[in-house]
Structures are given as structure tokens and as C-alpha cells.
Amino acid sequence: MSDTPTYGFDTLQIHAGARPDPATGARQTPIYQTTAYVFRDADHAAALFNLQEVGYIYSRLTNPTIAVLQERVATLEGGVGAAACSSGHAAQIMALFPLMAPGRNVVVSTRLYGGTVTQFSQTIKRFGWAARFVDFDDTDAVKAAIDDDTRAVFCESIANPGGYVTDLDTISGIADDAGVPLIVDNTSATPYLCRPIEHGATLVVHSTTKYLTGNGTVTGGVVVDSGKFDWSASDKFPSLSAPEPAYHGLKFHETFGPLAYTFHSIAIGLRDLGMTMNPQAAHYTLMGIETLSLRMERHVQNAEKIAGWLEADPRVDFVTYAGLKSSPYFDRVKTICPRGAGALFTFAVKGGYDACIKLVDSLEIFSHVANLGDTRSLIIHPASTTHRQLTAEQQAAAGAAPNTVRLSIGIEDADDLIADLDQALAKAAH
Ligand SMILES: *Cc1c(COP(=O)(O)O)cnc(C)c1O
């Protein structure tokens, strides 16, 4: 169904990438629980290994269940192709890998998922890569951070831990002027609320662990390519534009055109980094995506109701949710996420760190977990958990100060969630 992009989102989330199984007619996508695929003959095998023919060799690279997921997410995001992998963090490394080299840098927003701040500020240094953290509302600072060694710009659409929305149109314009791709982590918004490629993003990454799967069952990630970037316009991206020694001098961009980046991600990235998704995980994620729009609508409805209730409560200092009129991002969110500001936000509790800890321990429906984007409502105190490794300055920049808790609003009855918060806030005040 990928050749019928005129269908609406609700239709595509169920059908894109899938077709009845050619061997059995199975209507639901089978879990192809196999490591390898039998070659027709030696010539077929050689053609596959030379990338002259597309087909299945070994499940570290490609698998039919995972291929359906890749096509589905690419279609929902408006991209030309996608590579699935084992987690959201794997997707971030996979996204940067074809672009970066020792000595190169990526310009990144200060407002990021805590694990991403750590991955970018510490771990990628071991590859000789550097991340430059900048406030993405300060466009002059973003421009000033980009230099001849910059190979990408990276941000989140709705930034974790919530409340901040990136002005993707402005940032993609800056990346375009510098001749580098913009990578957008669209995990918190999902393609139902935000389509970064329509705002100029070159690549979109997801932790499929979150809303796409939707019920906290499996980890996964995906990198979607818009197919729009000209990798040969400069000599900055030799992995894509120059002869590739690991494929007898094949030039990915010249050979595969708009699919160059996706082919590289699979033929080099998954082959050699091995951060592969497994077919069971792809199955769970495909199940989740079938109801994405229905869930996101309820997530947003509940989040709007609960954020409004919290904001009016005297035990609460402030709520950072871009769907509230008091948010500095209230107007921006209408352009970037026209169907709502998501369901992830923070609020500050009067009484600070200690009151936050009491609140978290007193809730009954909300679970205290390091996850988000579940059907269940979740809470975490970032300063003592996910953002614990960060400096006080980094915590503040990420919106994760000691008096702040983050909610991931689920799809239960909003009134039950409000009653739960009410009783826990009462306990936290003592
Ligand atoms: C969870 C998350 C990640 C990391 O994904 P994993 O699947 O946990 O590796 C990256 N970005 C955002 C915005 C996330 O919420």
C-alpha cells in the first residue's frame, strides 16, 4: 500500500507496508522468526551480497516483519525509507554514523531526553565525535555553533521532559544554509502530532519503545530518511557520496539516489554495528501503531485536562505544558504540532525536592518508572533519576530542576488520574 499515499493517517497506520503473506495469505503480518533465508542459487546469493538485487540474506540486516515496520513508519513520517534498530539510543548512533567521522561535530539542543544528553556529551567522544549544546531558541547561537566540521543539527520536536517545542522551520532553515542535515527526535510527539519532514527535517529518529509501541512492552528505534538531502552537494559526506571500500567502491548516493541513506544504514550500519531489532519487537510495535491516532487523541485530551487542573492548584508552583495558554510555546505548538502538545509535561511542587519524593511515593495509579509513552500514566522525578548524571546547570537547562516532576499521561479516566494526584499532593504537603 506504500504506492497509495493519498490515504489518511488512520488508514495508513493499519495498512502501510503490509500485504497478505505471499506464502499463506495470512492477513496479519507474520513474525518471521528466522535468522537466514535460502538463496535461489549461487548467482542470486552473489547479486544480493553485491547490493545488485534487493532481498533477504540474514536477519542482522533485513527481515520481512521488520521491513513492514520500516515501511509503515517511513510512510507515516512522509519519508522514503527507514532502518529499524534495537532501541532509541541505537537509532541516534545509527542516524549519526553515516555523517560523522573523528573530529566532526553535531550541534544539539540543550533540551533533550536525559539519556541523550549523556550519550552525546560523554559517550560519543570515544568515537572522536563532539556535540555542541546550544539553546535552540537563540538562533544566533545555533548559527555561531555551526562550523566547517559540523555534520548535523539535532533536536527533539516536543522535547523531553516536556513543555518545550522546537521551532523546526527556523532550525531547519539554519541547517539548510549551512549545508548540513537536521535530525529530529520525534519520540514524544509521534507522526500523528508532528511531521518534522514537513518542517524541513532531513532525518527523523524515534524510540519506538514509547508511543509507537504504546504499552511498555519492547524497546526499539527507527531512523527515517526524507530522501531530500543532496549528499553529493559538498564533500562533507564521503560515506554517502564517495566510493565505499566495503562494497567494491560503490557510491551510495550515485547508485541509490534518494534511498542512499537508508541503504547505507542497512548495508553498512546494521551490518557492521549490529544494533538490530528482533522480529518479535517489530510485531509488538506494529500492533501498537495500528491504534496510534486513537491513543494520541486520548493522551492529549487527558494531558490538557490534568495540566489545567494542576496549574490552578495552590500546591503547585507552575506547569510547563505547551498546550496551556500560560506556556511561551502555546502559539508555536499550533504550527509544529497542530493536533496537540502531546502528553508529557513537568510541574513544580511547592516544597521542592522532598515534596517531590513524597508525591512520587504516594501515588496509586501513576507508576514510578523510567519510561514514557505508555497507556498507563507514569511519573518520575528527573533530578533524582533520569537526569541524575547531569550537572545542576544541565538539569536546569533540560527543565529538570530538583522541584520538578515529569508526568507521562496515559489513557485512563482523567478524573481518576486527577483524584490520584490530589491525594498524593495532600500527602506531599506534610
Ligand atoms: C526514551 C527516549 C530515547 C531513548 O530511547 P530507548 O528506546 O530508551 O533507547 C530517546 N529520545 C527520547 C525523546 C526518548 O523519550
Side-chain angles (χ1 to χ4, degrees), residues 87-89 92 113 116 156 160 185 187-188 207 209-210 220 372:
S87 70
H89 269 5
Q92 291 167 192
Y113 177 71
T116 306
E156 295 176 10
N160 192 314
D185 181 340
T187 299
S188 307
S207 165
T209 315
K210 312 295 170 49
L372 59 99

